[in-house]
Amino acid sequence: MDLYRPIFHFMPQKNWMNDPNGLIYYKGEYHLFYQYNPYGDKWGTIHWGHAKSLDLVHWEHLPIALFPSGELGEEHCFSGCAVVKDGVPSIFYTSVGSGDRHQSIGAQQWMAASNDDMVTWEKFNGNPVLTLDAHNGLDIKEWRDPFVWKERETWYMVVGGSIEGRGCALIYSSPDLINWGFLNKLYEGSEEIWECPNLFKLEDKYVLIYSPSDVVKYYIGQLNSDFSFTPEAHGTIDYSGWEGFYAPNSLADDRGRRIMWGWMTENSRGEFFGGAGWAGVQSIPRILSLQEEGKLRIEPLPELQVLREAHQRFENVIISTPNWALGVKGRALEIIAEFELHDNKTKFGLKLLCSPDGTEETIVSFDPITGHFSVDRSKSSLSNQPHSSILIGKLDLTAGEVLRFHIFLDHSIIEVFANYKECISTRIYPTCSSSMNLNLFAEEGGSVGLKLLDVWKMKSIWN
């Protein structure tokens, strides 16, 4: 048994994968492209891998979509997007080359198109479609990761970068996807770099998602007539950053849903050998919508429910022990736990992948004193090579609000949705094959009410 390879998260059969790219719904199918090294399980020689799905759950691997064009001096096909114009799918991506174009210092935005329903791709003869010369001398570093969409009769693109040490997103327009002009610096932050920006509308608001080489964040606000952005709310997509969830990308499906994936990195593996031969997993798809308070609601894709198998339920139990064994076991589980706070001082939660002797366990908890929820990996593995830090997020509960943890556990992956307001997703590497138990706890001297606990064993998406 492979203790670490996920069974219901998308990943290639082997080798390295990172950012999700080119997410698109086309002719009744969902397409997922991704950064891929076909030659090994370390980053390098980046191509675009490709897969498709009818249901967003089960996936079919397809031939590699983009290869670096060495004859044109291209070394990597970095991240980007896919759109459809007049029935023809087109990919936009950052081309990184040798010499002056190495490591994106002189990166260019390139285009490729498919005339056989996305089986093969031909790069545009007029590449690049956009270069740094478009900015009239503006000194932009780390310029990459185009995201393209259409409004009325105009195409728009945002690209991430850094100006004078401040991460930013820049915006461009085109009438035809070929001739692009620089409009403005859309928005900038205090971080040194912004990668993989997404800009899209939810209801009457624009949402700007960016990856600042740290915890992925978002703004909600308005796009002004001069193509600058005015934020009205700011939040966090996932509190893990490089420890688990990074560089998300999104699509709009035929039902108008905004669906997002993120790269589940292998950074937490450290020097741990387990899982060698593959690296990188995509998160489960997440549905984004607006909450009444003007921030993002982040929910797991409901279609994943088809993977549910054996089910156990617990209701209306008072937890007043530091370790309540449920008799539930599994390395691939979906868990929904609802708690009613009895006081405002007792820390409580769940212990996942526990060994029988308690030497290995990963703790998901909420502390009502601080308002923090966390994933504690300090005892996740008996090996000292994987990362063991505690990941912490802030969760604001209203008076009397029930706390709901919706958790997806898949061997080396844990994704935690807290009231669909906040998320922590990370990687864990327990060494014991017996580390499979699910327990509950409340800190000694206090108690919490377990209103409901549902646990399902999950099937593989590959069977």
Side-chain angles (χ1 to χ4, degrees):
M1 178 179 67
D2 191 328
L3 296 181
Y4 310 110
R5 188 178 180 91
I7 65 169
F8 63 87
H9 286 73
F10 176 82
M11 59 186 299
Q13 294 166 317
K14 61 180 181 179
N15 298 327
W16 171 275
M17 175 177 68
N18 55 291
D19 307 0
N21 293 155
L23 308 175
I24 193 167
Y25 181 78
Y26 177 71
K27 291 188 176 181
E29 295 178 316
Y30 298 90
H31 288 259
L32 167 65
F33 300 86
Y34 51 90
Q35 297 279 273
Y36 182 57
N37 177 11
Y39 306 120
D41 61 0
K42 302 291 189 296
W43 186 93
T45 319
I46 295 301
H47 297 53
W48 274 38
H50 187 195
K52 68 178 183 178
S53 173
L54 290 170
D55 60 3
L56 288 168
V57 178
H58 304 90
W59 294 88
E60 175 187 349
H61 293 294
L62 296 175
I64 291 173
L66 290 182
F67 298 76
S69 298
E71 72 280 7
L72 301 177
E74 188 176 44
E75 292 188 343
H76 304 285
C77 300
F78 273 13
S79 293
C81 64
V83 296
V84 177
K85 178 180 180 289
D86 299 328
V88 178
S90 294
I91 281 173
F92 289 84
Y93 71 99
T94 298
S95 172
V96 176
S98 57
D100 291 340
R101 291 209 299 118
H102 187 60
Q103 290 300 315
S104 80
I105 294 172
Q108 300 172 347
Q109 313 312 324
W110 283 24
M111 182 175 71
S114 175
N115 292 296
D116 57 4
D117 290 337
M118 299 195 186
V119 177
T120 61
W121 296 83
E122 182 176 349
K123 296 179 184 179
F124 177 50
N125 287 333
N127 279 329
V129 296
L130 192 60
T131 70
L132 285 167
D133 293 338
H135 305 98
N136 299 318
L138 194 63
D139 187 16
I140 302 171
K141 307 295 186 184
E142 307 292 347
W143 186 59
R144 54 180 176 264
D145 313 329
F147 181 81
V148 177
W149 74 100
K150 188 178 184 182
E151 288 191 35
R152 300 182 180 89
E153 299 304 314
T154 303
W155 293 93
Y156 295 95
M157 176 194 296
V158 289
V159 182
S162 179
I163 299 177
E164 297 181 352
R166 295 175 67 91
C168 63
L170 303 113
I171 187 167
Y172 313 81
S173 69
S174 171
D176 54 11
L177 293 180
I178 295 173
N179 299 287
W180 291 90
F182 175 55
L183 296 174
N184 206 343
K185 178 171 62 177
L186 180 71
Y187 200 68
E188 70 176 12
S190 59
E191 305 91 351
E192 291 185 5
I193 181 176
W194 280 15
E195 299 181 286
C196 300
N198 273 210
L199 184 68
F200 53 83
K201 289 192 78 172
L202 288 178
E203 300 177 19
D204 62 342
K205 304 292 184 181
Y206 281 86
V207 179
L208 172 61
I209 295 176
Y210 63 99
S211 299
S213 199
D214 191 5
V215 171
V216 181
K217 300 174 183 176
Y218 70 85
Y219 287 100
I220 298 174
Q222 298 293 339
L223 183 61
N224 302 316
S225 59
D226 65 351
F227 296 98
S228 64
F229 182 82
T230 299
E232 299 169 356
H234 189 210
T236 300
I237 291 289
D238 196 293
Y239 284 94
S240 57
W242 284 109
E243 292 298 310
F245 184 97
Y246 193 69
N249 212 322
S250 68
L251 63 77
D253 73 357
D254 61 328
R255 294 159 54 183
R257 299 183 299 177
R258 177 59 56 171
I259 306 173
M260 178 184 68
W261 285 258
W263 167 36
M264 299 292 297
T265 78
E266 295 290 345
N267 191 57
S268 293
R269 192 191 292 183
E271 299 301 317
F272 186 61
F273 183 75
W278 58 271
V281 181
Q282 296 300 328
S283 72
I284 62 169
R286 305 177 180 193
I287 307 295
L288 303 181
S289 58
L290 292 182
Q291 299 186 66
E292 290 183 1
E293 55 266 40
K295 300 192 78 173
L296 277 185
R297 181 177 177 86
I298 307 174
E299 300 175 88
L301 185 83
E303 284 92 326
L304 292 168
Q305 294 174 16
V306 301
L307 299 176
R308 292 173 174 175
E309 290 191 299
H311 174 226
Q312 292 177 268
R313 169 171 283 189
F314 303 83
E315 295 181 87
N316 300 320
V317 179
I318 304 301
I319 310 299
S320 57
T321 173
N323 198 61
W324 181 40
L326 296 169
V328 176
K329 300 177 184 291
R331 284 181 175 265
L333 303 173
E334 180 184 357
I335 303 163
I336 300 178
E338 294 183 353
F339 297 95
E340 295 179 308
L341 280 64
H342 282 178
D343 57 50
N344 291 316
K345 59 183 180 181
T346 300
K347 187 176 180 180
F348 63 89
L350 306 93
K351 298 181 178 181
L352 309 172
L353 295 186
C354 305
S355 60
D357 61 3
T359 55
E360 285 190 328
E361 61 184 16
T362 298
I363 301 174
V364 177
S365 65
F366 179 70
D367 186 341
I369 295 177
T370 62
H372 290 156
F373 77 109
S374 64
V375 177
D376 184 346
R377 304 179 298 169
S378 59
K379 293 175 62 180
S380 290
S381 179
L382 291 178
S383 171
N384 61 7
Q385 292 176 317
H387 293 184
S388 58
S389 59
I390 301 173
L391 304 176
I392 300 173
K394 186 74 168 66
L395 178 63
D396 294 322
L397 296 180
T398 59
E401 185 177 359
V402 170
L403 171 65
R404 169 180 278 204
F405 281 139
H406 195 162
I407 300 170
F408 291 83
L409 175 66
D410 193 0
H411 292 78
S412 62
I413 290 178
I414 179 171
E415 298 188 60
V416 180
F417 298 77
N419 285 40
Y420 309 119
K421 297 178 179 180
E422 311 288 354
C423 300
I424 296 177
S425 306
T426 191
R427 308 299 301 276
I428 48 179
Y429 304 91
T431 61
C432 302
S433 59
S434 59
S435 294
M436 300 177 66
N437 295 323
L438 171 62
N439 301 335
L440 299 181
F441 79 95
E443 282 191 336
E444 192 169 352
S447 66
V448 65
L450 176 68
K451 182 178 179 182
L452 183 70
L453 175 66
D454 283 308
V455 184
W456 295 270
K457 291 189 176 180
M458 298 290 276
K459 294 185 291 189
S460 171
I461 63 174
W462 305 109
N463 293 342

